Amino acid sequence: MLQSHSYRILHNKLSLVCLLLIFFIPCVEIIQLLMTQIQFGDKWDPAFAFFLTGSSRAHGAQIVLIWFLPIYFLIAFSDDTILDYKLGYRNVVVNKIGIKKYCAEKILGSFLFSFVTMLCSLLLNMILTKIIFNHGTYDKGISDFVGSSHSLLHYELAHPYITLVFFTLIFSIYAGLAGALGASFSLLFKDKKYAYAATFFVWFMLILRNQSLVFIFQPFTEYNNLHTSLPILFTTLAVLVVIPIIVFIVEVKFHEV
């Protein structure tokens, strides 16, 4: 079934456009930083030019990608189950492989596609910033103002690329969960307007709360301490993992009835 899912993605122009956007938006950040560099003359440290660091003014590229991330994945592949339902293909597949396997493959498949897509996009961005800003040293002055209480930030500055890889993996996992969230609501509602609205609402609430989900995506900040990060991590993971599990149980029980 994953092969069928992949075939649909590669032969759907809208899906390909969304995937290209996920790769292109981080590159917009590079263009913005190059313009700043030309204007002010400070060559960025490659680690601080990385997309998740959010060094550009107003963080426009980060807002466009991170805030609307589940929508990109829904359009690209997570609403695949809605198409199955409308075409009558869902019943054919469910009768063949069973409802449990069908739901599991849709949710886990969306997680995998989303995770890999975001991981590749960020790794490409990391490589590009290393090449374009090689030998740069400008770090927004953060290294000069790190207090003794910021032990994790000290470690991040001492090991910038270990830090970037770590945050890349964290964000890619959450991207996978965003894709799984969209697939779950698509399974549940079988209608784009409800699936998209529910997915966006849950994701947006996690971003807008005081302990925002965004805080655990950005390296080299004062938020990178266990006191702040762990509650955000536990709360958001609970929401993004529990919802797909509940939807899976409901879909299986409903089908059995």
Side-chain angles (χ1 to χ4, degrees), residues 199-228:
T199 303
F200 185 70
F201 175 78
V202 171
W203 184 258
F204 215 57
M205 287 301 98
L206 294 178
I207 286 178
L208 290 182
R209 58 199 293 268
N210 288 332
Q211 290 188 315
S212 175
L213 176 63
V214 177
F215 292 164
I216 61 174
F217 296 155
Q218 188 175 2
F220 313 120
T221 71
E222 69 274 16
Y223 301 112
N224 296 342
N225 58 75
L226 296 179
H227 177 73
T228 302

Side-chain angles (χ1 to χ4, degrees), residues 36-92:
T36 304
Q37 184 172 293
I38 292 170
Q39 184 178 0
F40 297 105
D42 293 315
K43 188 170 184 179
W44 288 91
D45 183 314
F48 282 81
F50 180 59
F51 177 73
L52 291 180
T53 306
S55 294
S56 63
R57 293 180 180 179
H59 311 298
Q62 285 78 17
I63 291 172
V64 170
L65 182 63
I66 297 173
W67 287 30
F68 300 97
L69 188 62
I71 304 302
Y72 298 123
F73 290 136
L74 269 166
I75 296 171
F77 37 70
S78 292
D79 68 357
D80 185 63
T81 56
I82 298 174
L83 182 60
D84 284 351
Y85 179 75
K86 289 183 176 180
L87 295 176
Y89 182 64
R90 172 186 165 117
N91 290 336
V92 175

Side-chain angles (χ1 to χ4, degrees), residues 129-140:
T129 53
K130 179 62 178 175
I131 294 171
I132 295 171
F133 299 100
N134 195 31
H135 303 305
T137 58
Y138 182 59
D139 63 0
K140 301 185 290 186

Side-chain angles (χ1 to χ4, degrees), residues 161-232:
Y161 283 96
I162 293 176
T163 298
L164 295 189
V165 169
F166 175 77
F167 278 90
T168 293
L169 289 172
I170 289 291
F171 186 55
S172 297
I173 289 170
Y174 272 89
L177 292 172
L181 181 71
S184 300
F185 282 129
S186 295
L187 278 167
L188 183 64
F189 294 115
K190 304 173 185 64
D191 187 296
K192 284 190 175 184
K193 61 178 178 290
Y194 297 121
Y196 280 53
T199 303
F200 185 70
F201 175 78
V202 171
W203 184 258
F204 215 57
M205 287 301 98
L206 294 178
I207 286 178
L208 290 182
R209 58 199 293 268
N210 288 332
Q211 290 188 315
S212 175
L213 176 63
V214 177
F215 292 164
I216 61 174
F217 296 155
Q218 188 175 2
F220 313 120
T221 71
E222 69 274 16
Y223 301 112
N224 296 342
N225 58 75
L226 296 179
H227 177 73
T228 302
S229 298
L230 287 181
I232 298 173

